[in-house]
Amino acid sequence: MNVNQSAPPVPPFGQPQPVYPGYHQSGYGGQPGSTAPPTSYGAYNGPVPGYQQTPPPGVSRAPPSSEAPPASTAQAPCGQAAYGQFGQGDVQNGPSSTVQMQRFPGSQPFGSVPLAPVVSQPAVLQPFGPPPTSAQVTAQLAGMQISGAVAPALPPVGLGYGSFGPARGPQPNYGSPYPGASTFGSQPGPPQPLPPKRLDPDAIPSPIQVIEDDRNNRGSEPFVTGVRGQVPPLVTTNFLVKDQGNASPRYIRCTSYNIPCTSDMAKQAQVPLAAVIKPLARLPPEEASPYVVDHGESGPLRCNRCKAYMCPFMQFIEGGRRFQCCFCSCINDVPPQYFQHLDHTGKRVDAYDRPELSLGSYEFLATVDYCKNNKFPSPPAFIFMIDVSYNAIRSGLVRLLCEELKSLLDFLPREGGAEESAIRVGFVTYNKVLHFYNVKSSLAQPQMMVVSDVADMFVPLLDGFLVNVSESRAVITSLLDQIPEMFADTRETETVFAPVIQAGMEALKAAECAGKLFLFHTSLPIAEAPGKLKNRDDRKLINTDKEKTLFQPQTGAYQTLAKECVAQGCCVDLFLFPNQYVDVATLSVVPQLTGGSVYKYACFQVENDQERFLSDLRRDVQKVVGFDAVMRVRTSTGIRAVDFFGAFYMSNTTDVELAGLDGDKTVTVEFKHDDRLNEESGALLQCALLYTSCAGQRRLRIHNLALNCCTQLADLYRNCETDTLINYMAKFAYRGVLNSPVKTVRDTLITQCAQILACYRKNCASPSSAGQLILPECMKLLPVYLNCVLKSDVLQPGAEVTTDDRAYVRQLVTSMDVAETNVFFYPRLLPLTKSPIESATEPPAVRASEERLSNGDIYLLENGLNLFLWVGASVQQGVVQSLFSVSSFSQITSGLSVLPVLDNPLSKKVRGLIDSLRAQRSRYMKLIVVKQEDKLEMLFKHFLVEDKSLSGGASYVDFLCHMHKEIRQLLS
């Protein structure tokens, strides 16, 4: 038996072993030492013939693990190893080159006395009788082979497939034990039915283990970007980046860092070639922001033909007088002021003094040629547009918001060391009509101007609408005090929406500047006005061909409006406070196309939701934004950008236009071949973002990345990044639901995943039995993560998920980065009382499955948007007292959203952990305390993504079985 050296020791004799349903615990059917592939049989729940309870002759009991004979190792091809039919000493997810282990013939039967698979002398086992039919073989899994990880076999479909197919009962040909073979019980007699057994989930690839291994292996060393085509550490690993010529993975992550040389090879593998780009990503304090390079009036140096910007990959020739473009091979003259001599290696002697010749990311100051109408921009403006209809006033929202804005306006984004922000502010309130406010510093009191002709929107004042905060402080404070009082007795329930955005855009146009509108809105805009909407919510459309209409906007008016906003550099952030359907699919069109954000607080109540709303608002107002931006991605010859996903507008096929872009937003770009690539020269990407900073400075931010190219499929599969792949596939699917039935979108994802894995199996894996599932090492989590995408609310909603919720999540995921989609689709589950209280580090996570919950423990679950504290029914009284200040489990308030501040180590630790989780996420996660067996537990269990979902989504085990079936069909 070949064993991975890093395997855990074989458990001592007598310790219970995992048993898997429907499996004969067989080994090879032939002689000892046979290398024939293992044979496996159909699902069966009766006794296993050919087994005795006492060890057969020639098999000794296992010694304790410390006495076990040494294991041998062998190298598996292409870094892969088997999830075959293994015995008890099976290894779960070993580091890398592990190999196929086979189950020893005398290993533990379904009875109560386990035998460890240790051989003292050769043993022969009787054959099992007639082989199964081909249909039985096809329908079952003989085992799994996964590169870099070893674990026991998967069950056949006898487990039941969730939504994938029927469970199977006992198989023919196994009526009774062979004559002379003992049954499982101590008394001879007819076979007794066995209690159902489950597959041990530790037997299949664990996201927690993969994340932990990467942290241990790659978290201590800085990631140095000097080498082409390096796969970075996972997004879940904390690491430092040293820029030595390629952009940091915080700015760009790719689905693969080794691209196939030909389009035929790419089509064969079906691995999407994509990059998730976050041009303005925030960096940790230990890493320097990109250097700003000023080339004066001449501006940045570019290739004359393809217009790529100077970067470390450009080749200087003829003693430094010319350079060859690395993107299009055009030869360009070096301007006299940029000339420098070359050293003996052909490198410029000043290469390390110039960021654009030595770093992957840097900025250029743009000249006037890069500005609208050939004049430098004014600093941007923020306009706060507040719904003052009955719902907004009654809920306390307007009073809360006005109170917060008084202090928040001191924290507008500012450039570098500036004393105060250059951003000007304006205020509008609205219901069925709009109210503009003059807050000029020379006024004693603010003045209101009402525009009731919402069909033909105009801005009634220019001077005094957009003002500097410090100059007009007294007038602004007076206005914010008066707004809640002015509308306190309103009975107006109807609102408009499109005219509000139109008004803000016209105000920015009149002031000749870019900017952002902050809209606070409560209800479906049903008042007579452009952009008026009707309630079209219809759950009967779910799972029909018309379901896609629920995700599409009701009217084209909002796309037209968004296009005008982008042209003006007017970005829209929308804060929604709905009590019922508001048609998020339509209202989010303008924020989505202008690079803005949508925040949603359903059934808003000040006492429960103010912390979440104010935290989101503060972060949104303070974050650094690039305005009036245009992004273009250039590639070296052989590939080109063909598709884009995110929150932006495109008027042509190459330019991504963003009225605003902040540090949380990503643009995902897919590449296709248009020629053959060269293994020697690799492939290059350059992302250039032209934008206006919050101080009104026009800048260019450049990110460069060099990738390897390969002629062998094994090299492609060795250099993929599953988290980025899932980010791309989720965005692809979430866009697909706009035009195709949801079932079609789900089937497309499953087919593509099966094709990726079947291609690996066929071309890269060592030959083995068809009954084994073989996964590439770096893609072994593809099935579990893909299943999470398939079960998400957008693609498979539960009965409690509203149409607005689905539309909200759909637009949110569109611009998420890789770390956000990772935790969104596979939430983190942290046990709180297992780790020592004094430990400052985060407790190790456990897998997102109900069977990982111990009723004597407390767990935190987070997915970037939601935060739950689950309390087990048998948790110790001291823990309950320390955390909740009540004496028993029954006294804990279910649904509690704030933990009491108590002066004890456990309380401090848990509250500190909650604060640290919130700090890692771009949106405030409201806490919900869930008690075991409480009605809220159904909501919590929705996030235990390895289990079968109420909406019909398969469990991880069932989905893996289904994927294996799909792969086998493709291979046959």
Side-chain angles (χ1 to χ4, degrees), residues 713-788:
L713 282 165
D715 291 328
L716 164 69
Y717 283 103
R718 227 184 250 119
N719 291 280
C720 288
E721 236 251 322
T722 298
D723 293 324
T724 311
L725 205 52
I726 288 293
N727 179 286
Y728 165 83
M729 290 171 109
K731 289 171 181 177
F732 180 81
Y734 280 19
R735 186 177 68 183
V737 298
L738 291 171
N739 305 307
S740 307
V742 171
K743 185 184 181 310
T744 309
V745 172
R746 289 165 47 80
D747 291 346
T748 305
L749 279 183
I750 292 171
T751 305
Q752 182 170 18
C753 181
Q755 284 172 329
I756 290 170
L757 298 176
C759 175
Y760 174 81
R761 170 69 193 256
K762 185 177 172 188
N763 298 289
C764 309
S766 56
S768 59
S769 140
Q772 286 177 315
L773 173 59
I774 303 185
L775 303 172
E777 167 63 19
C778 62
M779 280 190 193
K780 63 187 177 193
L781 298 181
L782 189 60
V784 61
Y785 286 163
L786 183 73
N787 191 35
C788 296

Side-chain angles (χ1 to χ4, degrees), residues 27-41:
Y28 296 135
Q31 298 298 319
S34 156
T35 53
T39 317
S40 128
Y41 298 87

